[in-house]
Amino acid sequence: MRVVVEDIVVSWIERYAEKQLRFDKVRTLLPLIQEVKLSQDFAQLAPLKAWAKNPDDLLLKQQAFQATEQFRPYFSDRSYFIALH
């Protein structure tokens, strides 16, 4: 009986530890995943893409900055950067 009970307890502990590990992993990675998704959406903005194709166009630059400013409150540190290559 003792061996059976110990096996059950060990099994429960293992299941609990596995579930807790998965939960902690998701909880830790979720903010990073959200920031990456937001950055991907940010990079797909049509005004930003148009400006990137023609960086000397001041009207396109202004439109891009207006569009990107809408994303600022959603980033965790309320900032972003744009690097044209």
Side-chain angles (χ1 to χ4, degrees):
M1 183 71 169
R2 182 175 153 223
V3 171
V4 171
V5 170
E6 286 177 357
D7 287 346
I8 291 172
V9 169
V10 167
S11 175
W12 283 351
I13 290 172
E14 286 173 350
R15 280 193 237 156
Y16 175 78
E18 287 174 8
K19 287 181 182 182
Q20 189 65 37
L21 183 62
R22 279 191 228 120
F23 173 76
D24 289 344
K25 180 180 175 183
V26 169
R27 186 180 54 151
T28 302
L29 290 178
L30 188 59
L32 180 60
I33 292 168
Q34 289 172 337
E35 290 285 312
V36 168
K37 174 67 175 126
L38 185 59
S39 296
Q40 289 171 335
D41 293 344
F42 181 86
Q44 295 303 316
L45 287 172
L48 186 58
K49 286 181 166 185
W51 176 52
K53 289 178 183 176
N54 190 0
D56 296 325
D57 187 323
L58 295 179
L59 179 60
L60 290 177
K61 181 179 181 178
Q62 182 183 19
Q63 291 171 347
F65 277 104
Q66 287 174 347
T68 58
E69 277 299 312
Q70 295 175 3
F71 272 75
R72 183 182 297 279
Y74 300 111
F75 286 110
S76 63
D77 64 352
R78 309 280 191 265
S79 68
Y80 63 87
F81 71 94
I82 300 169
L84 300 180
H85 176 35

Coordinates of all heavy atoms in Angstrom, one line a residue:
M1 N 0.8 -1.2 0.0 CA 0.0 0.0 0.0 C 0.9 1.3 0.0 O 0.6 2.2 -0.7 CB -0.9 0.0 1.2 CG -1.9 1.1 1.3 SD -3.1 0.9 0.1 CE -4.2 2.1 0.6
R2 N 1.9 1.2 0.8 CA 2.8 2.4 0.9 C 3.5 2.7 -0.4 O 3.6 3.9 -0.9 CB 3.9 2.1 2.0 CG 4.8 3.2 2.2 CD 5.8 2.9 3.3 NE 7.0 3.7 3.1 CZ 8.2 3.2 3.2 NH1 8.4 2.0 3.7 NH2 9.2 4.0 3.0
V3 N 3.9 1.7 -1.2 CA 4.5 1.9 -2.5 C 3.5 2.5 -3.5 O 3.9 3.4 -4.2 CB 5.1 0.5 -3.0 CG1 5.6 0.7 -4.4 CG2 6.2 0.0 -2.1
V4 N 2.3 2.0 -3.4 CA 1.3 2.5 -4.3 C 1.0 4.0 -4.0 O 0.9 4.8 -4.9 CB 0.0 1.7 -4.2 CG1 -1.2 2.3 -4.9 CG2 0.2 0.3 -4.7
V5 N 0.9 4.3 -2.8 CA 0.6 5.7 -2.4 C 1.8 6.6 -2.8 O 1.6 7.7 -3.3 CB 0.3 5.8 -0.9 CG1 0.3 7.3 -0.4 CG2 -1.0 5.2 -0.5
E6 N 3.0 6.1 -2.6 CA 4.2 6.9 -3.0 C 4.2 7.1 -4.5 O 4.6 8.2 -5.0 CB 5.5 6.2 -2.5 CG 5.7 6.3 -1.0 CD 7.0 5.6 -0.5 OE1 7.6 4.9 -1.4 OE2 7.3 5.7 0.7
D7 N 3.9 6.1 -5.2 CA 3.8 6.2 -6.7 C 2.8 7.3 -7.1 O 3.0 8.0 -8.0 CB 3.5 4.9 -7.4 CG 4.7 3.9 -7.3 OD1 5.8 4.4 -7.0 OD2 4.5 2.7 -7.6
I8 N 1.7 7.3 -6.5 CA 0.6 8.2 -6.8 C 1.1 9.6 -6.5 O 0.9 10.6 -7.3 CB -0.7 7.9 -6.0 CG1 -1.3 6.6 -6.6 CG2 -1.7 9.1 -6.1 CD1 -2.5 6.1 -5.8
V9 N 1.7 9.8 -5.3 CA 2.2 11.1 -4.9 C 3.3 11.6 -5.9 O 3.3 12.8 -6.3 CB 2.7 11.1 -3.5 CG1 3.5 12.4 -3.1 CG2 1.6 10.9 -2.5
V10 N 4.2 10.8 -6.2 CA 5.2 11.1 -7.2 C 4.6 11.5 -8.5 O 5.0 12.5 -9.2 CB 6.3 10.0 -7.3 CG1 7.2 10.2 -8.6 CG2 7.1 9.8 -6.1
S11 N 3.6 10.7 -9.0 CA 3.0 11.0 -10.2 C 2.3 12.4 -10.2 O 2.4 13.2 -11.1 CB 1.9 9.9 -10.5 OG 1.2 10.2 -11.7
W12 N 1.6 12.7 -9.1 CA 1.0 14.0 -9.0 C 2.0 15.1 -8.9 O 1.8 16.2 -9.5 CB 0.1 14.0 -7.7 CG -1.2 13.3 -7.8 CD1 -1.8 12.8 -8.9 CD2 -2.1 13.0 -6.7 NE1 -2.9 12.2 -8.6 CE2 -3.2 12.3 -7.2 CE3 -2.0 13.3 -5.3 CZ2 -4.2 11.9 -6.5 CZ3 -3.1 12.9 -4.6 CH2 -4.2 12.2 -5.1
I13 N 3.1 14.9 -8.2 CA 4.1 16.0 -8.2 C 4.7 16.2 -9.5 O 4.9 17.4 -9.9 CB 5.2 15.6 -7.1 CG1 4.6 15.6 -5.7 CG2 6.4 16.4 -7.3 CD1 5.5 15.1 -4.6
E14 N 5.0 15.1 -10.3 CA 5.5 15.3 -11.6 C 4.6 16.1 -12.5 O 5.0 17.0 -13.3 CB 5.8 13.9 -12.2 CG 7.1 13.3 -11.7 CD 7.2 11.9 -12.2 OE1 6.3 11.3 -12.9 OE2 8.3 11.3 -11.9
R15 N 3.3 15.7 -12.5 CA 2.3 16.4 -13.3 C 2.2 17.9 -12.9 O 2.1 18.8 -13.7 CB 0.9 15.8 -13.2 CG 0.8 14.5 -14.0 CD -0.7 14.1 -14.1 NE -0.7 12.7 -13.6 CZ -1.8 12.1 -13.1 NH1 -2.9 12.8 -13.0 NH2 -1.7 10.9 -12.7
Y16 N 2.2 18.1 -11.6 CA 2.1 19.5 -11.1 C 3.3 20.3 -11.6 O 3.2 21.5 -12.1 CB 2.0 19.6 -9.6 CG 2.1 21.0 -9.0 CD1 0.9 21.8 -9.1 CD2 3.3 21.5 -8.5 CE1 1.0 23.1 -8.6 CE2 3.3 22.8 -8.0 CZ 2.2 23.6 -8.1 OH 2.2 24.9 -7.6
A17 N 4.5 19.7 -11.5 CA 5.7 20.4 -11.9 C 5.7 20.7 -13.4 O 6.1 21.8 -13.8 CB 7.0 19.6 -11.5
E18 N 5.3 19.8 -14.2 CA 5.2 20.0 -15.6 C 4.2 21.1 -16.0 O 4.6 22.0 -16.8 CB 4.8 18.7 -16.3 CG 5.8 17.6 -16.4 CD 5.3 16.3 -16.9 OE1 4.2 16.2 -17.4 OE2 6.0 15.3 -16.8
K19 N 3.1 21.1 -15.3 CA 2.1 22.1 -15.6 C 2.6 23.5 -15.1 O 2.4 24.5 -15.8 CB 0.8 21.8 -14.9 CG 0.0 20.7 -15.6 CD -1.3 20.4 -14.9 CE -2.0 19.3 -15.6 NZ -3.3 19.0 -15.1
Q20 N 3.2 23.5 -14.0 CA 3.8 24.8 -13.5 C 4.9 25.3 -14.4 O 5.0 26.5 -14.7 CB 4.3 24.6 -12.1 CG 4.7 25.9 -11.4 CD 3.5 26.8 -11.2 OE1 2.4 26.4 -10.9 NE2 3.7 28.1 -11.3
L21 N 5.7 24.4 -14.9 CA 6.8 24.8 -15.8 C 6.2 25.4 -17.1 O 6.7 26.4 -17.6 CB 7.7 23.6 -16.1 CG 8.9 23.9 -17.0 CD1 9.8 24.8 -16.3 CD2 9.6 22.5 -17.3
R22 N 5.2 24.8 -17.7 CA 4.5 25.3 -18.9 C 3.9 26.6 -18.6 O 4.0 27.6 -19.4 CB 3.5 24.3 -19.4 CG 4.1 23.2 -20.2 CD 3.0 22.4 -20.9 NE 3.2 21.0 -20.6 CZ 2.4 20.2 -20.0 NH1 1.2 20.5 -19.7 NH2 2.8 18.9 -19.8
F23 N 3.3 26.8 -17.5 CA 2.6 28.0 -17.1 C 3.7 29.2 -17.0 O 3.5 30.2 -17.5 CB 1.8 27.9 -15.8 CG 1.3 29.2 -15.3 CD1 0.2 29.8 -15.9 CD2 1.9 29.8 -14.2 CE1 -0.3 31.0 -15.4 CE2 1.4 31.0 -13.7 CZ 0.3 31.6 -14.3
D24 N 4.7 28.9 -16.3 CA 5.8 29.9 -16.1 C 6.4 30.3 -17.4 O 6.8 31.4 -17.6 CB 6.9 29.4 -15.1 CG 6.4 29.3 -13.7 OD1 5.3 29.9 -13.4 OD2 7.0 28.6 -12.9
K25 N 6.6 29.3 -18.3 CA 7.2 29.6 -19.6 C 6.3 30.5 -20.4 O 6.8 31.5 -20.9 CB 7.4 28.2 -20.3 CG 8.0 28.4 -21.7 CD 8.2 27.0 -22.4 CE 8.7 27.2 -23.8 NZ 8.8 25.9 -24.5
V26 N 5.1 30.2 -20.4 CA 4.1 31.1 -21.2 C 4.0 32.4 -20.5 O 4.1 33.5 -21.2 CB 2.7 30.4 -21.3 CG1 1.7 31.4 -21.8 CG2 2.8 29.2 -22.1
R27 N 4.0 32.5 -19.2 CA 3.8 33.8 -18.5 C 5.1 34.6 -18.8 O 5.0 35.8 -18.9 CB 3.7 33.5 -17.0 CG 3.4 34.8 -16.3 CD 3.2 34.4 -14.8 NE 4.4 33.7 -14.4 CZ 4.9 33.7 -13.2 NH1 4.3 34.3 -12.2 NH2 5.9 32.9 -12.8
T28 N 6.2 34.0 -18.9 CA 7.5 34.7 -19.1 C 7.6 35.2 -20.5 O 8.0 36.3 -20.8 CB 8.7 33.8 -18.7 OG1 8.6 33.4 -17.4 CG2 10.0 34.5 -18.9
L29 N 7.2 34.4 -21.4 CA 7.4 34.7 -22.9 C 6.3 35.5 -23.4 O 6.5 36.2 -24.5 CB 7.5 33.4 -23.7 CG 8.8 32.6 -23.5 CD1 8.7 31.3 -24.3 CD2 10.0 33.4 -23.9
L30 N 5.1 35.5 -22.8 CA 4.0 36.3 -23.4 C 4.2 37.7 -23.7 O 3.9 38.2 -24.8 CB 2.7 36.1 -22.5 CG 1.4 36.6 -23.1 CD1 1.1 35.9 -24.4 CD2 0.3 36.5 -22.1
P31 N 4.8 38.5 -22.8 CA 5.1 39.9 -23.1 C 6.0 40.0 -24.3 O 5.8 40.9 -25.1 CB 5.8 40.5 -21.8 CG 5.3 39.6 -20.7 CD 5.2 38.2 -21.4
L32 N 7.0 39.2 -24.4 CA 8.0 39.2 -25.5 C 7.2 38.9 -26.8 O 7.4 39.5 -27.9 CB 9.1 38.3 -25.3 CG 10.2 38.2 -26.4 CD1 10.8 39.6 -26.6 CD2 11.2 37.2 -26.0
I33 N 6.4 37.9 -26.8 CA 5.6 37.5 -28.0 C 4.7 38.6 -28.4 O 4.6 38.9 -29.6 CB 4.8 36.2 -27.7 CG1 5.8 35.0 -27.5 CG2 3.8 35.9 -28.8 CD1 5.2 33.7 -27.0
Q34 N 4.1 39.3 -27.5 CA 3.2 40.4 -27.8 C 4.0 41.5 -28.5 O 3.5 42.1 -29.4 CB 2.5 40.9 -26.6 CG 1.4 39.9 -26.1 CD 0.9 40.3 -24.7 OE1 1.5 41.0 -24.0 NE2 -0.3 39.8 -24.5
E35 N 5.2 41.8 -27.9 CA 6.0 42.9 -28.5 C 6.4 42.5 -29.9 O 6.5 43.4 -30.8 CB 7.2 43.2 -27.6 CG 6.9 43.9 -26.3 CD 6.5 45.3 -26.5 OE1 7.2 46.1 -27.1 OE2 5.5 45.7 -25.9
V36 N 6.8 41.3 -30.2 CA 7.2 40.9 -31.5 C 6.1 41.0 -32.5 O 6.2 41.5 -33.6 CB 7.8 39.4 -31.4 CG1 8.0 38.9 -32.9 CG2 9.1 39.4 -30.7
K37 N 4.9 40.5 -32.1 CA 3.7 40.6 -32.9 C 3.4 42.1 -33.2 O 3.1 42.4 -34.4 CB 2.5 39.9 -32.3 CG 1.2 40.1 -33.0 CD 1.2 39.4 -34.3 CE -0.2 39.5 -34.9 NZ -0.2 40.0 -36.3
L38 N 3.5 42.9 -32.3 CA 3.2 44.4 -32.5 C 4.2 45.0 -33.4 O 3.9 45.7 -34.3 CB 3.2 45.1 -31.1 CG 2.8 46.6 -31.1 CD1 1.4 46.8 -31.7 CD2 2.9 47.1 -29.7
S39 N 5.5 44.6 -33.3 CA 6.5 45.1 -34.2 C 6.3 44.6 -35.6 O 6.6 45.3 -36.5 CB 7.9 44.6 -33.7 OG 8.2 45.1 -32.4
Q40 N 5.9 43.4 -35.7 CA 5.6 42.9 -37.1 C 4.4 43.7 -37.7 O 4.5 44.1 -38.9 CB 5.2 41.4 -37.0 CG 6.4 40.5 -36.7 CD 5.9 39.1 -36.5 OE1 4.8 38.8 -36.1 NE2 6.9 38.1 -36.7
D41 N 3.4 44.0 -37.0 CA 2.3 44.8 -37.5 C 2.8 46.2 -37.8 O 2.4 46.8 -38.8 CB 1.1 44.9 -36.4 CG 0.4 43.5 -36.2 OD1 0.6 42.6 -37.1 OD2 -0.3 43.4 -35.2
F42 N 3.6 46.7 -36.9 CA 4.2 48.0 -37.1 C 5.0 48.1 -38.5 O 4.8 49.0 -39.2 CB 5.1 48.3 -35.9 CG 5.8 49.7 -36.0 CD1 5.2 50.8 -35.4 CD2 7.1 49.8 -36.5 CE1 5.8 52.0 -35.4 CE2 7.7 51.0 -36.5 CZ 7.1 52.1 -36.0
A43 N 5.7 47.1 -38.7 CA 6.6 47.1 -39.9 C 5.7 46.9 -41.2 O 6.2 47.2 -42.3 CB 7.6 45.9 -39.8
Q44 N 4.5 46.5 -41.1 CA 3.6 46.3 -42.2 C 2.8 47.5 -42.6 O 2.0 47.5 -43.5 CB 2.7 45.1 -42.0 CG 3.5 43.8 -41.9 CD 4.3 43.5 -43.2 OE1 3.9 43.7 -44.3 NE2 5.6 43.0 -42.9
L45 N 3.0 48.6 -41.8 CA 2.2 49.8 -42.1 C 2.5 50.3 -43.5 O 3.6 50.5 -43.9 CB 2.5 50.9 -41.1 CG 2.0 50.7 -39.7 CD1 2.6 51.8 -38.8 CD2 0.5 50.8 -39.6
A46 N 1.4 50.5 -44.3 CA 1.5 51.0 -45.6 C 2.3 52.3 -45.7 O 3.2 52.4 -46.6 CB 0.2 51.1 -46.3
P47 N 2.0 53.3 -44.9 CA 2.7 54.6 -45.0 C 4.2 54.4 -44.7 O 5.1 55.1 -45.3 CB 2.0 55.5 -44.0 CG 0.7 54.9 -43.8 CD 0.8 53.4 -44.0
L48 N 4.5 53.5 -43.8 CA 5.9 53.3 -43.4 C 6.7 52.6 -44.6 O 7.8 53.0 -44.9 CB 6.0 52.4 -42.2 CG 7.4 52.2 -41.6 CD1 8.1 53.5 -41.2 CD2 7.3 51.3 -40.3
K49 N 6.0 51.7 -45.2 CA 6.6 51.0 -46.4 C 6.8 52.0 -47.5 O 7.8 51.9 -48.2 CB 5.7 49.8 -46.8 CG 5.8 48.6 -46.0 CD 4.9 47.5 -46.5 CE 5.1 46.2 -45.9 NZ 4.3 45.2 -46.6
A50 N 5.8 52.8 -47.8 CA 5.9 53.8 -48.9 C 7.1 54.7 -48.6 O 7.9 55.1 -49.5 CB 4.6 54.6 -49.0
W51 N 7.2 55.2 -47.4 CA 8.3 56.1 -47.1 C 9.7 55.4 -47.2 O 10.7 56.0 -47.7 CB 8.1 56.7 -45.6 CG 9.3 57.5 -45.2 CD1 9.8 58.6 -45.9 CD2 10.0 57.4 -44.0 NE1 10.9 59.1 -45.1 CE2 11.0 58.4 -44.0 CE3 9.9 56.5 -42.9 CZ2 11.9 58.6 -42.9 CZ3 10.8 56.7 -41.9 CH2 11.8 57.7 -41.9
A52 N 9.7 54.1 -46.8 CA 11.0 53.4 -46.9 C 11.4 53.2 -48.3 O 12.6 53.2 -48.6 CB 10.8 52.0 -46.2
K53 N 10.5 53.1 -49.2 CA 10.8 53.0 -50.6 C 11.3 54.4 -51.2 O 12.0 54.4 -52.2 CB 9.6 52.5 -51.4 CG 9.3 51.1 -51.2 CD 8.1 50.7 -52.0 CE 7.7 49.2 -51.6 NZ 6.5 48.8 -52.3
N54 N 10.9 55.5 -50.6 CA 11.3 56.8 -51.1 C 11.6 57.7 -49.8 O 10.8 58.6 -49.5 CB 10.2 57.4 -51.9 CG 10.6 58.6 -52.7 OD1 11.8 59.1 -52.5 ND2 9.7 59.2 -53.4
P55 N 12.7 57.5 -49.2 CA 13.0 58.2 -47.9 C 13.2 59.7 -48.0 O 13.1 60.4 -47.0 CB 14.2 57.5 -47.4 CG 14.8 56.8 -48.5 CD 13.7 56.5 -49.5
D56 N 13.4 60.2 -49.2 CA 13.6 61.6 -49.4 C 12.3 62.4 -49.5 O 12.3 63.6 -49.5 CB 14.5 61.9 -50.6 CG 15.9 61.3 -50.5 OD1 16.4 61.3 -49.3 OD2 16.4 60.8 -51.5
D57 N 11.2 61.7 -49.7 CA 9.9 62.3 -49.8 C 9.4 62.8 -48.4 O 9.0 62.0 -47.6 CB 8.9 61.4 -50.5 CG 7.6 62.0 -50.8 OD1 7.1 62.9 -50.0 OD2 7.0 61.7 -51.9
L58 N 9.3 64.1 -48.2 CA 8.9 64.6 -46.9 C 7.4 64.3 -46.6 O 7.1 64.1 -45.4 CB 9.2 66.1 -46.8 CG 10.7 66.5 -46.9 CD1 10.9 68.0 -46.8 CD2 11.5 65.8 -45.8
L59 N 6.6 64.3 -47.6 CA 5.2 64.0 -47.3 C 5.0 62.6 -46.9 O 4.3 62.3 -45.9 CB 4.3 64.3 -48.6 CG 2.8 64.0 -48.5 CD1 2.2 64.9 -47.4 CD2 2.1 64.2 -49.8
L60 N 5.7 61.7 -47.5 CA 5.6 60.3 -47.1 C 6.2 60.1 -45.7 O 5.7 59.3 -44.9 CB 6.4 59.4 -48.1 CG 5.8 59.2 -49.5 CD1 6.7 58.4 -50.4 CD2 4.4 58.6 -49.4
K61 N 7.2 60.8 -45.4 CA 7.8 60.7 -44.1 C 6.8 61.2 -43.0 O 6.6 60.6 -42.0 CB 9.1 61.6 -44.0 CG 9.8 61.6 -42.7 CD 11.0 62.4 -42.7 CE 11.8 62.4 -41.4 NZ 13.0 63.2 -41.4
Q62 N 6.1 62.3 -43.3 CA 5.1 62.8 -42.4 C 4.0 61.8 -42.2 O 3.6 61.6 -41.1 CB 4.6 64.2 -42.9 CG 3.6 64.8 -41.9 CD 3.0 66.1 -42.5 OE1 3.1 66.4 -43.7 NE2 2.5 66.9 -41.6
Q63 N 3.5 61.3 -43.3 CA 2.5 60.3 -43.2 C 2.9 59.0 -42.4 O 2.1 58.5 -41.6 CB 2.0 59.9 -44.6 CG 1.3 61.0 -45.3 CD 1.0 60.6 -46.8 OE1 1.6 59.7 -47.3 NE2 0.2 61.4 -47.4
A64 N 4.1 58.6 -42.6 CA 4.7 57.5 -41.9 C 4.7 57.7 -40.4 O 4.3 56.9 -39.6 CB 6.1 57.1 -42.4
F65 N 5.2 58.9 -40.0 CA 5.3 59.2 -38.6 C 3.9 59.4 -38.0 O 3.7 59.0 -36.8 CB 6.1 60.5 -38.4 CG 7.6 60.2 -38.4 CD1 8.4 60.5 -39.4 CD2 8.2 59.6 -37.3 CE1 9.8 60.3 -39.4 CE2 9.6 59.3 -37.3 CZ 10.3 59.6 -38.3
Q66 N 3.0 59.9 -38.7 CA 1.6 60.0 -38.2 C 1.1 58.6 -37.9 O 0.4 58.3 -36.9 CB 0.7 60.7 -39.1 CG 0.9 62.2 -39.1 CD 0.1 63.0 -40.2 OE1 -0.5 62.3 -41.1 NE2 0.1 64.3 -40.1
A67 N 1.3 57.7 -38.9 CA 0.8 56.3 -38.7 C 1.5 55.6 -37.6 O 0.9 54.8 -36.8 CB 1.0 55.5 -40.0
T68 N 2.8 55.8 -37.5 CA 3.6 55.0 -36.5 C 3.3 55.6 -35.1 O 3.4 54.8 -34.1 CB 5.1 55.1 -36.7 OG1 5.5 56.5 -36.8 CG2 5.5 54.4 -38.0
E69 N 3.0 56.8 -34.9 CA 2.7 57.4 -33.6 C 1.5 56.7 -33.0 O 1.4 56.7 -31.8 CB 2.5 58.9 -33.7 CG 3.8 59.7 -33.7 CD 4.5 59.5 -32.4 OE1 4.0 59.6 -31.3 OE2 5.8 59.2 -32.5
Q70 N 0.6 56.2 -33.8 CA -0.6 55.5 -33.3 C -0.2 54.2 -32.5 O -0.9 53.7 -31.7 CB -1.6 55.2 -34.4 CG -2.2 56.4 -35.0 CD -3.0 56.1 -36.2 OE1 -3.3 54.9 -36.5 NE2 -3.6 57.1 -36.8
F71 N 1.0 53.7 -32.9 CA 1.5 52.4 -32.2 C 2.2 52.7 -30.9 O 2.3 51.8 -30.1 CB 2.4 51.7 -33.1 CG 1.8 50.7 -34.1 CD1 1.1 51.2 -35.2 CD2 1.8 49.4 -33.9 CE1 0.5 50.3 -36.1 CE2 1.2 48.5 -34.7 CZ 0.5 49.0 -35.8
R72 N 2.6 53.9 -30.7 CA 3.4 54.2 -29.5 C 2.8 53.7 -28.2 O 3.5 53.1 -27.4 CB 3.8 55.7 -29.4 CG 4.7 56.1 -28.3 CD 4.9 57.5 -28.2 NE 5.6 58.1 -29.3 CZ 7.0 58.0 -29.5 NH1 7.7 57.4 -28.6 NH2 7.5 58.5 -30.6
P73 N 1.5 54.0 -27.9 CA 1.0 53.6 -26.6 C 0.9 52.1 -26.4 O 0.8 51.6 -25.3 CB -0.5 54.2 -26.6 CG -0.5 55.1 -27.8 CD 0.6 54.7 -28.7
Y74 N 1.0 51.3 -27.5 CA 0.9 49.9 -27.4 C 2.2 49.2 -27.0 O 2.2 48.1 -26.5 CB 0.3 49.3 -28.6 CG -1.1 49.8 -28.9 CD1 -1.3 50.7 -30.0 CD2 -2.2 49.6 -28.1 CE1 -2.6 51.2 -30.2 CE2 -3.4 50.1 -28.3 CZ -3.6 50.9 -29.4 OH -4.9 51.4 -29.6
F75 N 3.3 49.8 -27.3 CA 4.6 49.2 -27.0 C 4.8 49.4 -25.5 O 4.4 50.4 -24.9 CB 5.8 49.9 -27.7 CG 5.8 49.5 -29.2 CD1 5.5 50.4 -30.2 CD2 6.2 48.3 -29.5 CE1 5.6 50.1 -31.5 CE2 6.3 47.9 -30.9 CZ 6.0 48.8 -31.8
S76 N 5.4 48.4 -24.8 CA 5.5 48.4 -23.4 C 6.3 49.6 -22.8 O 6.0 50.1 -21.8 CB 6.2 47.1 -22.9 OG 7.5 47.0 -23.4
D77 N 7.3 50.1 -23.6 CA 8.1 51.2 -23.1 C 7.7 52.5 -23.8 O 8.3 53.6 -23.6 CB 9.6 51.0 -23.2 CG 10.0 50.8 -24.6 OD1 9.1 50.8 -25.5 OD2 11.2 50.8 -24.9
R78 N 6.6 52.5 -24.5 CA 6.0 53.6 -25.2 C 7.0 54.3 -26.2 O 7.0 55.5 -26.4 CB 5.6 54.7 -24.2 CG 4.7 54.3 -23.1 CD 3.2 54.1 -23.7 NE 2.3 53.9 -22.6 CZ 1.9 52.7 -22.2 NH1 2.3 51.7 -22.7 NH2 1.0 52.6 -21.2
S79 N 7.9 53.4 -26.8 CA 8.9 54.0 -27.7 C 9.0 53.0 -28.9 O 8.7 51.8 -28.8 CB 10.2 54.3 -27.1 OG 10.8 53.1 -26.7
Y80 N 9.6 53.5 -30.0 CA 9.9 52.7 -31.1 C 11.0 53.3 -31.9 O 11.4 54.5 -31.6 CB 8.7 52.5 -32.0 CG 8.2 53.8 -32.6 CD1 8.7 54.3 -33.8 CD2 7.1 54.5 -32.0 CE1 8.2 55.4 -34.4 CE2 6.7 55.6 -32.6 CZ 7.2 56.1 -33.8 OH 6.7 57.3 -34.3
F81 N 11.6 52.6 -32.8 CA 12.6 53.2 -33.7 C 12.4 52.7 -35.1 O 11.8 51.6 -35.3 CB 14.0 52.9 -33.2 CG 14.5 51.5 -33.4 CD1 15.2 51.1 -34.5 CD2 14.2 50.6 -32.4 CE1 15.6 49.8 -34.7 CE2 14.6 49.3 -32.5 CZ 15.3 48.9 -33.7
I82 N 12.9 53.4 -36.0 CA 12.8 53.0 -37.4 C 14.2 53.1 -38.0 O 14.8 54.1 -37.9 CB 11.8 54.0 -38.2 CG1 10.4 53.9 -37.6 CG2 11.8 53.6 -39.7 CD1 9.5 55.0 -38.1
A83 N 14.6 52.1 -38.7 CA 15.9 52.0 -39.3 C 15.7 51.7 -40.8 O 15.2 50.6 -41.1 CB 16.8 51.0 -38.6
L84 N 15.9 52.6 -41.6 CA 15.8 52.3 -43.1 C 17.1 51.8 -43.6 O 18.1 52.4 -43.3 CB 15.4 53.6 -43.8 CG 14.0 54.2 -43.4 CD1 13.8 55.5 -44.2 CD2 12.9 53.2 -43.5
H85 N 17.0 50.7 -44.4 CA 18.2 50.1 -44.9 C 18.1 50.1 -46.4 O 17.2 49.8 -47.0 CB 18.4 48.7 -44.4 CG 19.6 48.0 -45.0 ND1 20.8 48.6 -45.3 CD2 19.8 46.7 -45.3 CE1 21.6 47.7 -45.8 NE2 21.0 46.5 -45.8

